[in-house]
Amino acid sequence: TGHSKKQLDMVKIFKKLVNDKGLENWELHFIGSVHKGETHQQYFEQTQFEAQGYPIHFHIDTPFSELKRRLGEAKIYWHATGLDENEERNPIVFEHFGITTIEAMAAGCVPVVINGGGQKEIVTPEAGFTWNNREEWIKQTHRVITDQALWKRTQKEALKRADYFSRDAFKKRFVDILDKL
């Protein structure tokens, strides 16, 4: 309800990559929490059911140390909050900033994210990939998976871009603004 991360859609896209594109030796991992309430539990159960038979894993209420470890092992980070929504009419259902995207980039993941909300401000063309629909999402993901040189080049830029949002970089920009005043 409300601010959906679109995990069920992620499962379906991953299955399309496996079934239609022949994706092998890749896994999809979800790390997070499940809100209390029947609607949230039903969505989680539906997502788990849809994932059966595929290398899809759910890590619920994971400690931060495990989150860091898993992000460090990951190659790609997906973000789909806002999929099938109208950003002009209902901006609240999009991710306003997206700190998890920056955390993933800082851990070495290449972001493949929706072109909406804060994601379009975080992910530059050099430092990751944005998409507007499912077809672009599949295409961008498949492209990163099959082109190792592209992945390495983009990962390097994603690490640099994540640094832009670091505390030290913020302090420097803030002091620069104050100096100009």
Side-chain angles (χ1 to χ4, degrees):
T1 61
H3 193 77
S4 174
K5 304 293 186 184
K6 306 291 184 166
Q7 295 94 334
L8 183 56
D9 292 283
M10 289 184 193
V11 167
K12 291 176 181 179
I13 292 295
F14 185 78
K15 288 171 64 173
K16 277 188 148 313
L17 283 161
V18 169
N19 297 331
D20 299 350
K21 299 287 188 181
L23 184 66
E24 294 179 342
N25 302 317
W26 282 79
E27 299 176 347
L28 176 61
H29 290 258
F30 291 103
I31 304 171
S33 60
V34 179
H35 291 284
K36 296 194 183 319
E38 187 177 336
T39 303
H40 298 290
Q41 290 300 316
Q42 287 174 348
Y43 184 82
F44 179 56
E45 290 168 9
Q46 182 183 7
T47 304
Q48 286 181 306
F49 179 78
E50 188 74 29
Q52 288 179 359
Y54 289 83
I56 300 172
H57 309 277
F58 298 87
H59 310 279
I60 306 305
D61 298 327
T62 303
F64 186 67
S65 59
E66 184 179 344
L67 169 66
K68 282 177 49 177
R69 181 179 62 77
R70 290 199 180 278
L71 284 175
E73 295 170 350
K75 298 277 187 192
I76 295 172
Y77 176 79
W78 275 354
H79 199 294
T81 303
L83 177 66
D84 296 330
E85 304 291 349
N86 184 312
E87 191 170 10
E88 295 297 317
R89 285 198 323 250
N90 203 6
I92 194 77
V93 297
F94 285 78
E95 193 72 60
H96 57 282
F97 178 64
I99 192 70
T100 58
T101 302
I102 296 166
E103 290 170 339
M105 292 165 68
C109 296
V110 169
V112 179
V113 300
I114 192 166
N115 188 25
Q119 301 303 305
K120 61 188 174 190
E121 304 298 325
I122 295 167
V123 178
T124 61
E126 302 80 23
F129 301 89
T130 58
W131 48 265
N132 295 298
N133 56 52
R134 287 170 177 80
E135 293 76 27
E136 289 179 10
W137 183 1
I138 291 168
K139 181 181 175 186
Q140 298 290 29
T141 301
H142 190 257
R143 187 171 159 220
V144 173
I145 288 171
T146 58
D147 187 339
Q148 187 65 20
L150 174 65
W151 179 85
K152 283 183 183 250
R153 193 169 55 248
T154 308
Q155 181 205 35
K156 182 179 174 185
E157 293 301 319
L159 287 164
K160 284 188 212 172
R161 180 69 177 152
D163 190 52
Y164 175 83
F165 297 98
S166 72
R167 183 170 284 147
D168 289 340
F170 175 78
K171 285 180 187 177
K172 181 183 179 332
R173 287 192 305 275
F174 186 68
V175 168
D176 289 347
I177 291 169
L178 291 177
D179 286 346
K180 290 178 185 175
L181 295 175

